[in-house]
Amino acid sequence: MTLFDPLLGADRVADRLDDASWVAALVAVEVALTAAAAEHGIVSAADAEAVAEAAAHLPVDPAELGRAAVEGGNPVIPLVRMLRAAAGKAGAAVHPGATSQDVMDTAAMLLVGWAGEVVLDDLRGAADAAARLAAAHRDTPMIARTLGQQAVPTTFGLVAAGWCAGLDRARTALAVELAHLPVQLGGAAGTLAALHPHGPAVAASLAARLGLADAAPWHTERTRIGALAGALAVAASACATPATDVVLLAGTELGEVREAAPGDSSSMPHKRNPIAAITARAAARRAPALAAVLIGGEHEHQRAAGAWHAEWQALTDLLRATGGAAARLRTSLDGLVVDPERMAANLALTTDRADPGHAGELCDRLLAARP
């Protein structure tokens, strides 16, 4: 949504998840599938070239495609009709041996890969900003807070190093999922019968052409989607923790940090709101519910009636939410202003000592362990 994507940090990742990107991914899968089939003699090389040429000049209005998708329940069906008509005599070479779910799932994996690059970059950027804060404030004393109350001394460096560690772990886990995004090609019921005896070979060629992992058909075996959803939700959570800390530490009564470019208020000119952290937290809060859609859908028999269809928007919205949280947190932590004097004054409210124990050593240990 162009109104809210910039506010919630999703504008950069959304550029790879919009309707035009979906269409581009669907078309890319169809072209690659025809080319893979040509590799194994199922269609002619000349027809594959003609299909690729037709696809390169195919005018697709996403809104019109969406309306045409209503009858069959997904946009692949009308897209295949359009591409076959555009390819003329070569039209029979479009969509060889595939079912709609093959194209939708594979296109979704392409989109995840495209958008995932942006999410990983912003997670890394936020973690790097936290690491810089940790190194700069390794020995800056502050009061630790447990259950909302002042506890014992720590250092801001250790707090920031904890943020960094969480972001790094989440980014590493998400990177593993993104590195193994699978192709989907099973045909009508996951048996590759229409491509026999070349089915597995065509699937492998399709995966190679699209830069995806080769995989046996997984039409209703959705643990990969669940694992991806979990990694994205955990990454959003890793962003929510430092964002919440910044919001609290920037409160008037604490005043221990402030954002480099705080937001103002329409009615209270004295306010300096930590808007980047606030909106990072807002974006992250959307992630668990979206992940639940992807994890909790039972996919029955050999093609799910409804659970599969529910994934399309939930997956792209989850990428928006996590990507937005990472982007806004990165903005918040880049140039975050720390006030050691306010930290010392607040520390003195409950203790006259500033011994943070092994905080400095633990800070060093966390930073040294960064991937």
Side-chain angles (χ1 to χ4, degrees):
M1 291 180 288
T2 55
L3 177 61
F4 297 114
D5 279 343
L7 175 64
L8 296 177
D11 45 337
R12 192 159 73 104
V13 72
D15 285 342
R16 302 188 180 194
L17 296 168
D18 60 8
D19 290 344
S21 297
W22 262 111
V23 171
L26 293 168
V27 171
V29 174
E30 291 290 357
V31 170
L33 176 58
T34 299
E39 283 184 43
H40 300 280
I42 296 168
V43 303
S44 72
D47 281 352
E49 291 177 8
V51 169
E53 178 66 18
H57 300 92
L58 187 68
V60 181
D61 177 356
E64 181 59 33
L65 185 65
R67 286 189 288 269
V70 173
E71 181 180 358
N74 70 75
V76 175
I77 297 171
L79 181 65
V80 167
R81 285 199 297 263
M82 293 172 60
L83 187 52
R84 283 176 173 163
K89 293 180 179 179
V94 175
H95 202 65
T99 190
S100 297
Q101 184 169 3
D102 293 330
V103 179
M104 285 297 297
D105 282 351
T106 303
M109 294 301 96
L110 286 181
L111 281 178
V112 169
W114 298 343
E117 292 177 354
V118 176
V119 179
L120 290 179
D121 180 65
D122 280 327
L123 286 170
R124 180 74 193 199
D128 288 347
R132 291 191 295 270
L133 288 167
H137 294 280
R138 175 190 186 276
D139 299 314
T140 300
M142 67 178 292
I143 193 69
R145 297 173 175 92
T146 62
L147 305 181
Q149 303 294 308
Q150 290 202 340
V152 295
T154 185
T155 69
F156 184 68
L158 181 56
V159 171
W163 298 344
C164 178
L167 291 165
D168 278 339
R169 284 177 59 83
R171 178 178 54 82
T172 299
L174 179 58
V176 170
E177 297 301 325
L178 295 177
H180 297 92
L181 295 172
V183 75
Q184 174 79 280
L185 184 62
T191 64
L192 287 167
L195 293 171
H196 184 76
H198 304 292
V202 173
S205 295
L206 177 61
R209 286 178 172 276
L210 295 174
L212 297 173
D214 189 16
W218 45 280
H219 287 158
T220 54
E221 197 284 278
R222 308 304 278 185
T223 55
R224 293 175 179 85
I225 298 296
L228 175 62
L232 286 165
V234 167
S237 176
C239 295
T241 292
T244 299
D245 281 351
V246 168
V247 169
L248 294 174
L249 293 173
T252 304
E253 289 77 9
L254 298 185
E256 294 180 355
V257 302
R258 66 180 184 277
E259 290 184 345
D264 55 13
S265 166
S266 63
S267 60
M268 295 170 282
H270 64 280
K271 294 189 71 180
R272 296 295 180 268
N273 299 316
I275 291 298
I278 288 169
T279 49
R281 193 180 183 203
R285 284 179 68 87
R286 300 178 59 228
L290 292 165
V293 174
L294 299 167
I295 293 172
E298 298 85 359
H299 291 245
E300 75 282 358
H301 300 309
Q302 282 65 59
R303 177 145 313 107
W308 167 54
H309 304 72
E311 288 180 351
W312 309 333
Q313 285 184 303
L315 182 57
T316 52
D317 285 350
L318 179 55
L319 283 159
R320 275 185 168 89
T322 302
R328 295 303 283 154
L329 179 65
R330 182 179 190 173
T331 297
S332 177
L333 297 185
D334 270 336
L336 189 73
V337 179
V338 179
D339 190 336
E341 293 184 3
R342 285 296 297 267
M343 289 180 174
N346 289 333
L347 178 65
L349 293 176
T350 52
T351 180
D352 58 1
R353 65 185 182 88
D355 177 15
H358 294 285
E361 298 170 48
L362 294 172
C363 177
D364 294 342
R365 181 178 176 182
L366 287 172
L367 293 180
R370 293 196 69 197

